[in-house]
């Protein structure tokens, strides 16, 4: 098992980034990057959410010491990031969990990448529509709507 620090350092090196370049991409100083790579210091959630895209790995890979494969979860990352941009960190976390659980359906199967992408896209669309429906039904009513 690799620690968060080991994974960050290795992924940064694989991406060909210096500590300073990586820090600029995620909005922290070189000193903070050194701390992430050499100590048990973890970034705040906003910075942690920027790391996967900058490093070309998934958040699951970085945060779960049991995951050894740097490509793990990358097929889901674009969907998670899209939801993060539209609905925020909480929604992205929900979709990350949802897609992670749904991926178990593919274990040992023979579905191709296009099929997985179509499934993930449909799942994210259903999630997004449920957010819209919930907001309409349970959101605050403005005085002009009453």
């Amino acid at each position: 098992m690799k620690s968060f620090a080991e994974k960050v350092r290795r992924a940064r090196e694989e991406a060909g980034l210096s500590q300073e370049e990586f820090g600029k991409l995620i909005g922290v100083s070189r000193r903070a990057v050194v701390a992430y790579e050499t100590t048990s210091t973890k970034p705040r959630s906003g910075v942690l959410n920027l790391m996967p895209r900058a490093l070309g790995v998934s958040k699951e890979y970085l945060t779960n010491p049991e995951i050894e494969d740097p490509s793990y979860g990358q097929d889901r990352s674009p969907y998670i990031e899209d939801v993060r941009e539209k609905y925020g960190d909480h929604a992205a976390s929900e979709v990350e969990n949802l897609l992670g659980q749904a991926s178990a359906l593919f274990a040992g199967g023979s579905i191709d990448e296009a099929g997985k992408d179509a499934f993930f896209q449909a799942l994210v669309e259903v999630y997004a529509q449920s957010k819209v429906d919930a907001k309409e039904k349970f959101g605050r009513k403005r005085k002009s709507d009453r």
Side-chain angles (χ1 to χ4, degrees):
M1 288 196 309
K2 291 185 179 130
S3 69
F4 176 80
E6 291 172 302
K7 288 180 176 184
V8 169
R9 182 186 50 76
R10 176 168 281 165
R12 178 187 57 76
E13 290 171 350
E14 289 289 322
L17 297 169
S18 69
Q19 290 173 328
E20 188 170 334
E21 291 168 330
F22 179 51
K24 285 180 181 177
L25 287 173
I26 61 173
V28 300
S29 67
R30 179 184 171 279
R31 186 174 179 177
V33 172
V34 169
Y36 302 149
E37 292 184 355
T38 60
T39 68
S40 60
T41 302
K42 298 279 193 315
R44 61 188 190 280
S45 65
V47 172
L48 180 60
N49 291 332
L50 296 172
M51 288 177 140
R53 185 177 288 170
L55 296 173
V57 298
S58 70
K59 184 176 172 184
E60 292 169 292
Y61 166 73
L62 288 177
T63 59
N64 186 337
E66 294 178 12
I67 298 172
E68 300 273 337
D69 179 5
S71 67
Y72 180 89
Q74 285 184 313
D75 53 348
R76 299 184 297 262
S77 292
Y79 302 103
I80 295 165
E81 292 309 311
D82 185 49
V83 168
R84 184 181 319 284
E85 288 175 17
K86 291 178 182 172
Y87 303 105
D89 290 340
H90 180 71
S93 179
E94 289 178 337
V95 165
E96 185 173 6
N97 289 333
L98 181 64
L99 293 178
Q101 292 170 3
S103 291
L105 297 171
F106 304 132
S110 59
I111 189 168
D112 63 7
E113 288 302 313
K116 275 198 247 182
D117 284 342
F119 180 79
F120 289 159
Q121 183 64 39
L123 205 54
V124 169
E125 287 174 11
V126 167
Y127 175 85
Q129 188 58 51
S130 72
K131 293 293 269 184
V132 169
D133 293 347
K135 188 173 185 176
E136 288 175 5
K137 186 172 184 175
F138 302 110
R140 285 192 189 167
K141 303 288 184 199
R142 295 179 299 209
K143 286 184 179 184
S144 61
D145 293 341
R146 292 184 195 164

